[in-house]
Amino acid sequence: TPQIKRDAPKPSGPIQVRGLGRHLELKMLKKRQDEEKAEREKKVFLTDTEGRRPRPYTVPEPFQLSSDDNRILQKKEALKRAVSDMSMAECTFKPQTNEGSV
C-alpha cells in the first residue's frame, strides 16, 4: 500500500505569490477610478445639493395664445400693404406692346 504524508513541509521564510503585486496595483487603480467617477457624477448631476442656494426662477404668468384685438389685425394688414406697395414701386418697367396699334 502507498504511504501518505500527513504533515506538509513548513516554509522557512516568506511565501512569494506571483502576480499578487499587480493584482493589488490594479485593485488600487480601480478604486481611484471609481472615486474620480463618483466625483465627476457628483459635479455633473448635482447629487449633492446641500448648502446650495436656490437660484431665482421665472415666475409663470398666464398667457394668451390668440386674441380678438382688431388693432393687431389692422397693423398686420397695413404692414402687408406697405410691403406690397414698396415692392411694386421697384417695378418700373412698362413694356410696349403691339396690342393697342392693331
Side-chain angles (χ1 to χ4, degrees):
T1 67
Q3 286 186 339
I4 299 174
K5 293 184 179 181
R6 299 281 176 203
D7 294 331
K10 302 286 181 190
S12 59
I15 301 173
Q16 185 178 20
V17 178
R18 296 184 189 272
L20 181 63
R22 179 69 176 155
H23 172 73
L24 295 175
E25 179 183 347
L26 291 175
K27 190 175 177 181
M28 288 175 46
L29 180 65
K30 175 68 174 160
K31 183 179 177 183
R32 188 169 13 132
Q33 286 175 346
D34 288 343
E35 289 172 356
E36 290 173 359
K37 181 181 176 186
E39 184 179 325
R40 282 192 311 271
E41 287 176 355
K42 182 179 175 183
K43 181 179 178 183
V44 172
F45 298 116
L46 299 175
T47 56
D48 181 25
T49 57
E50 296 293 322
R52 287 185 172 262
R53 289 189 354 232
R55 295 189 177 182
Y57 57 91
T58 304
V59 178
E61 296 178 358
F63 59 92
Q64 295 178 341
L65 294 177
S66 62
S67 67
D68 294 331
D69 196 3
N70 288 333
R71 186 175 49 113
I72 294 174
L73 295 174
Q74 290 173 353
K75 278 185 174 182
K76 285 183 182 180
E77 291 298 324
L79 183 60
K80 285 182 184 177
R81 277 189 302 241
V83 169
S84 175
D85 291 344
M86 286 175 38
S87 66
M88 290 307 288
E90 293 175 1
C91 298
T92 58
F93 177 71
K94 295 186 180 182
Q96 294 179 356
T97 61
N98 293 333
E99 185 178 316
S101 63
V102 177

